[in-house]
């Protein structure tokens, strides 16, 4: 009897080891995923199945990065050809780009502003047939004075039911206006303010019956003194009102805090679009100052977005992940 039990136990152990050995082990990643100055990330999964991220480069071209898995990124060049970087605002840099695929072409939106030049600021766009560019046909959509919105930067486009909406603004209110169906021109329609004066770097994400307005509050660019945080509110309408858990309005600068810095990363904010991997997990990019290398600028970080039982998003313990299980992508 004892011998039979020993035989059964041995067979069971062999089966367990064999089964375990066939299970794929979890692949880990470490932050930051772009270990260089690459703030204000925006990304898209292109027709070729790869991801392309576009970031700010103060006073220069728009850097483009390519990745197959959101973890390993390769710098592949700039969005514009040499000598063709837009210069609609004198002595301005290009800030906070936003990438979209609209009616068969890639449309890159961008801010142009001098540091602190809140009336010398505006938003433009350019188009390309491929995500790596070159982006051409640039056009300046409007400046702060023309549109009547001080500090008109940080554009992001939301698409729904064949219609395109531009969301923008920085600490002077977040505004929304409809674009033409191809996303290339602003329609002659009234502007709507959808959030108060605490915010910039906004982005709208639709999940189920809710629209989520993600934004950043605090200071973005003071090195280790930066207080940037990612915050969120939600609404049943694209046009608001966006509220926190208590029903208080983002128009009154009330929100839920999603992500804050800690002793390893400061100023975590200005998040990208949320993207889904092949295992239906959702991910977001954002920037922050690496405390161990503060002078390196704002690096790009990756984190998974979770949703609680009340359909509110959260990121881990509310601070940047050092190391985690990587996104899941099948080879195409």
């Amino acid at each position: 009897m004892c011998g039979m039990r020993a035989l059964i136990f041995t067979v069971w152990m062999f089966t367990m080891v064999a089964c375990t050995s066939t299970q794929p082990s979890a692949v880990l990643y470490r932050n930051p995923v772009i270990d260089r100055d690459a703030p204000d990330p925006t990304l898209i999964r292109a027709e070729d199945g790869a991801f392309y991220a576009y970031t700010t480069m103060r006073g220069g071209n728009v850097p483009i990065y390519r990745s197959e898995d959101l973890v390993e990124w390769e710098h592949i060049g700039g969005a514009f050809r040499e000598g063709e970087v837009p210069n609609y605002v004198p002595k301005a840099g290009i800030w906070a780009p936003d990438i979209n695929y609209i009616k068969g072409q890639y449309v890159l939106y961008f801010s142009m502003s001098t540091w602190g030049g809140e009336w010398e600021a505006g938003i433009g766009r350019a188009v390309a047939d491929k995500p790596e560019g070159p982006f051409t046909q640039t056009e300046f959509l409007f400046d702060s004075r023309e549109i009547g919105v001080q500090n008109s930067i940080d554009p992001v486009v939301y698409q729904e039911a064949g219609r395109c909406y531009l969301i923008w603004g920085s600490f002077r209110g977040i505004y929304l206006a409809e674009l033409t169906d191809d996303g290339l021109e602003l329609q002659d329609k009234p502007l709507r303010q959808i959030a108060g004066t605490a915010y910039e770097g906004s982005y709208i994400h639709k999940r189920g019956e809710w629209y989520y307005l993600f934004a950043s509050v605090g200071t973005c660019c003071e090195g280790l003194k930066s207080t940037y945080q990612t915050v969120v509110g939600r609404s049943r309408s694209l046009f608001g009102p966006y509220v926190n858990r208590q029903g208080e309005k983002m128009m009154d600068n009330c929100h839920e805090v999603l992500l804050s810095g800690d002793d390893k990363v400061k100023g975590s904010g200005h998040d990208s679009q949320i993207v889904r991997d092949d295992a239906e997990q959702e991910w977001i990019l954002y920037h922050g100052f690496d405390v161990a290398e503060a002078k390196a600028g704002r690096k790009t970080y990756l984190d998974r977005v979770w949703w609680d039982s009340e359909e509110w998003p959260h990121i881990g313990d509310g601070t940047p992940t050092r190391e985690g299980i990587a996104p899941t992508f099948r080879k195409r």
Side-chain angles (χ1 to χ4, degrees):
M1 190 69 178
C2 292
M4 180 61 69
R5 287 177 180 172
L7 176 62
I8 293 172
F9 179 75
T10 301
V11 171
W12 178 79
M13 283 296 294
F14 176 81
T15 302
M16 291 298 293
V17 170
C19 291
T20 301
S21 65
T22 63
Q23 296 295 321
S25 57
V27 176
L28 300 180
Y29 78 97
R30 292 187 62 84
N31 269 321
V33 291
I34 302 180
D35 195 15
R36 60 187 289 185
D37 188 35
D40 309 329
T42 177
L43 83 158
I44 193 168
R45 194 171 197 183
E47 296 295 287
D48 63 3
F51 291 95
Y52 293 81
Y54 308 73
T55 68
T56 292
M57 177 182 284
R58 189 178 299 184
N61 208 331
V62 175
I64 305 177
Y65 301 85
R66 187 180 187 275
S67 175
E68 298 284 347
D69 58 7
L70 296 180
V71 174
E72 300 292 335
W73 291 91
E74 176 191 6
H75 178 238
I76 61 172
F80 303 102
R81 295 189 185 100
E82 186 176 352
E84 296 183 3
V85 177
N87 59 353
Y88 296 107
V89 178
K91 301 180 180 179
I94 297 179
W95 307 83
D98 179 65
I99 187 66
N100 290 266
Y101 189 70
I102 306 173
K103 293 191 177 298
Q105 60 185 355
Y106 294 90
V107 186
L108 183 71
Y109 301 85
F110 54 87
S111 317
M112 296 206 73
S113 176
T114 57
W115 185 256
E118 297 191 359
W119 289 110
E120 288 70 42
I123 290 169
R125 57 82 174 156
V127 299
D129 295 327
K130 302 178 295 183
E132 62 268 33
F135 284 82
T136 61
Q137 303 176 47
T138 59
E139 183 173 319
F140 202 49
L141 297 179
F142 55 80
D143 64 25
S144 293
R145 286 190 173 87
E146 176 186 356
I147 204 72
V149 176
Q150 189 175 353
N151 216 15
S152 279
I153 62 172
D154 292 359
V156 66
V157 167
Y158 176 79
Q159 300 182 61
E160 185 172 54
R163 301 172 78 171
C164 299
Y165 302 88
L166 179 70
I167 300 100
W168 79 97
S170 173
F171 301 130
R172 298 293 184 265
I174 301 299
Y175 288 82
L176 180 149
E178 190 166 359
L179 297 167
T180 52
D181 291 348
D182 58 10
L184 301 183
E185 307 290 341
L186 192 68
Q187 290 214 46
D188 186 19
K189 290 189 176 182
L191 311 183
R192 300 171 185 259
Q193 186 177 351
I194 59 173
T197 57
Y199 310 109
E200 67 174 8
S202 55
Y203 159 62
I204 289 178
H205 177 73
K206 179 75 179 296
R207 178 180 169 88
E209 62 185 7
W210 293 103
Y211 296 86
Y212 294 84
L213 178 57
F214 294 81
S216 293
V217 301
T219 58
C220 69
C221 310
E222 296 182 355
L224 300 188
K225 295 181 180 178
S226 299
T227 61
Y228 235 24
Q229 294 179 305
T230 299
V231 301
V232 65
R234 71 183 185 185
S235 171
R236 295 187 187 276
S237 167
L238 173 65
F239 308 107
Y242 290 88
V243 300
N244 63 11
R245 288 179 185 268
Q246 289 72 45
E248 299 167 317
K249 297 178 181 179
M250 291 185 80
M251 281 291 289
D252 298 324
N253 297 329
C254 299
H255 48 256
E256 297 295 319
V257 175
L258 181 66
L259 183 70
S260 300
D262 58 12
D263 61 338
K264 302 293 185 183
V265 182
K266 301 295 183 182
S268 52
H270 204 118
D271 57 273
S272 72
Q273 296 86 339
I274 291 175
V275 297
R276 183 170 293 178
D277 69 12
D278 292 341
E280 302 299 310
Q281 302 168 128
E282 293 182 318
W283 301 85
I284 200 167
L285 297 177
Y286 56 92
H287 72 231
F289 285 95
D290 183 348
V291 172
E293 223 180 348
K295 293 184 179 180
R298 293 169 290 169
K299 300 179 179 181
T300 297
Y301 292 76
L302 172 71
D303 252 299
R304 184 174 171 185
V305 180
W306 304 76
W307 300 86
D308 66 21
S309 60
E310 296 181 342
E311 289 298 299
W312 282 98
H314 65 95
I315 292 176
D317 65 356
T319 62
T321 295
R322 315 290 194 266
E323 181 179 84
I325 298 176
T328 299
F329 293 104
R330 294 181 289 272
K331 291 184 178 180
R332 297 193 175 191

